[in-house]
Amino acid sequence: MSAITIFGKGNMGQSIGDVFKQGGNQVSFIDSADPVENLGSIVVLAVPYNAALSIAKANQAALAGKIVIDITNPLSFETWDELVVPADSSAAAQIAALLPESKVIKGFNTTFAATLQNRKVGDQAQTTVMAAGDDADAKQAFADALTDSGVAFVDAGSLKRARELESFGFLQMTLAANEKIGWTGGFGVLK
């Protein structure tokens, strides 16, 4: 069992919390009005990209030594036509640069809240959480926290793969926003 703190109480934060709770973990939530203290060993940034950057900047000491999961897809919400991070980087890499004492993992950004709640993509495939990060032990702790949660886990490689995960998440979001797929749909990973 892991102690997990989730920044953000929106649809994604609540759905991620439910997944972790089903996995037998202790979950607490924090929002912008709450003091940042007594954080769990795993901290999830279930907030928009700019808010995640602000949290990282303001809480470097509190997040030191923690596994920090960045769920953001850093797209331009004005145009819905581009990612706002440099082409050779990712939101996760930007957050990792702000948190050198933390173990940053990209995760949950290729799932929708509804697919986390249902544990399925449409009615076809089990929801899969893909994760990219440079610390193998941190990724294993993340995978362990998802055991018995009803979702699958795939190690997508180093933190460099976060860029591809963010592009993948961006494509999925634009397809849903343009009603090409539903918010209960998306991409499934079949083994």
Side-chain angles (χ1 to χ4, degrees):
M1 179 178 87
S2 294
I4 297 167
T5 303
I6 300 175
F7 279 85
K9 298 177 182 176
N11 289 341
M12 281 298 291
Q14 293 292 326
S15 297
I16 291 167
D18 289 343
V19 166
F20 279 127
K21 284 177 189 173
Q22 184 174 329
N25 302 285
Q26 176 189 348
V27 176
S28 61
F29 292 90
I30 190 168
D31 64 24
S32 59
D34 297 330
V36 179
E37 57 190 19
N38 302 320
L39 299 177
S41 59
I42 298 175
V43 177
V44 180
L45 302 178
V47 295
Y49 173 57
N50 287 332
L53 288 176
S54 295
I55 290 166
K57 286 177 189 174
N59 299 287
Q60 290 174 330
L63 293 169
K66 306 292 184 186
I67 298 168
V68 177
I69 301 173
D70 164 40
I71 77 160
T72 65
N73 285 308
L75 67 130
S76 167
F77 285 102
E78 284 108 31
T79 65
W80 278 74
D81 197 34
E82 63 185 346
L83 295 173
V84 297
V85 293
D88 62 346
S89 188
S90 65
Q94 301 295 310
I95 291 167
L98 293 170
L99 299 174
E101 302 299 318
S102 303
K103 300 164 188 151
V104 176
I105 297 173
K106 172 59 75 175
F108 290 112
N109 75 301
T110 61
T111 61
F112 291 140
T115 64
L116 289 169
Q117 291 166 1
N118 298 335
R119 312 299 196 263
K120 287 192 173 215
V121 178
D123 59 2
Q124 300 291 315
Q126 181 181 27
T127 299
T128 299
V129 175
M130 291 187 275
D134 291 335
D135 188 292
D137 292 336
K139 284 192 286 187
Q140 187 59 56
F142 182 20
D144 291 346
L146 292 174
T147 301
D148 298 325
S149 68
V151 301
F153 178 88
V154 170
D155 183 339
S158 72
L159 196 62
K160 288 181 181 182
R161 296 293 69 82
R163 178 68 183 181
E164 287 79 19
L165 290 178
E166 290 172 8
S167 293
F168 190 70
F170 170 52
L171 175 61
Q172 184 171 260
M173 289 175 70
T174 58
L175 289 172
N178 289 308
E179 299 181 353
K180 306 288 184 189
I181 64 172
W183 293 97
T184 59
F187 302 109
V189 177
L190 304 175
K191 294 183 181 182

